[in-house]
Amino acid sequence: PEAVVKKYLEEVKGSPADEDCIICMEKLSAPSGYSDACECSTIKPETVGRLTNCQHSFHMLCMLAMYSNGNKDGSLQCPSCKTIYGEKTGTQPKGRMEVSTFPQSLPGHKDCGTIQIVYHISRGIQGPEHPNPGMPYTARGFPRYCYLPDNEKGRKVLELLRVAWKRRLIFTVGTSSTTGESNTVVWNEIHHKTEMDTNLSGHGYPDPNYLDNVLAELAAQGVTEDCLRQ
């Protein structure tokens, strides 16, 4: 963990700015509020670091505590502006993603056919990255069927969803917001259209803003067009 924090934060020399660390809410000029909870031989409680791209500053020990409580996947996310450093991965359980196309068009996309994505995830036992390691998790409502227009933008979204799937970002194990069931597989902040027509539920078409919205949600998870160029 120390190596990850030191990779993305540069130590601020001299007296830090007169502002609060938004992780522990102590002044940056005072020691980290996590100095009693986070023992570290290589980072002092008063050391302040600045993230290399977005330039936001925090106690380095606070960033270490934040990282140690997360997935520990080698990536850091700025708690202030959400900029991602490194490659963010999630805790999606094992499964498979199948893609097919058919000629029928979606409401609002009359000029093209449809891409169908099918996600398969089965129930299993939670790993060390999940909320309750060793306990079972359920997987309700699988396989899940999702739809995109088979046009240029829809195909771009599909390729980014493939990246998100590989990085385990599309589902997670948590508590269902619809049923309240805990220890179950739930969506993870990347919205999908699970109905082809009638958008009464908000999960279908027509929805002229959907592709732009999902591109923004993917970008918030660190999945952008740059990933497709690699």
Side-chain angles (χ1 to χ4, degrees), residues 6 10 14 16 25 30 37 47-49 64 71 78 88-89 110 117 126 139 152 156 167 177 201 203 213 221:
K6 288 177 173 177
E10 53 198 11
M25 296 303 173
T47 305
V48 172
L64 181 66
N71 286 348
C78 174
K88 182 178 178 181
T89 58
K110 291 284 177 238
I117 304 169
Q126 296 182 47
E152 189 179 350
K156 180 165 83 177
R167 294 186 186 175
S177 57
S201 62
H203 303 306
N213 290 345
Q221 301 284 347

Side-chain angles (χ1 to χ4, degrees), residues 179-215:
T179 65
E181 181 181 7
S182 56
N183 300 306
T184 192
V185 180
V186 293
W187 294 106
N188 182 37
E189 296 178 18
I190 300 170
H191 285 87
H192 284 62
K193 292 298 189 185
T194 52
E195 297 164 13
M196 283 187 66
D197 43 25
T198 71
N199 196 18
L200 297 175
S201 62
H203 303 306
Y205 291 90
D207 182 347
N209 301 319
Y210 171 65
L211 294 176
D212 288 329
N213 290 345
V214 76
L215 286 169

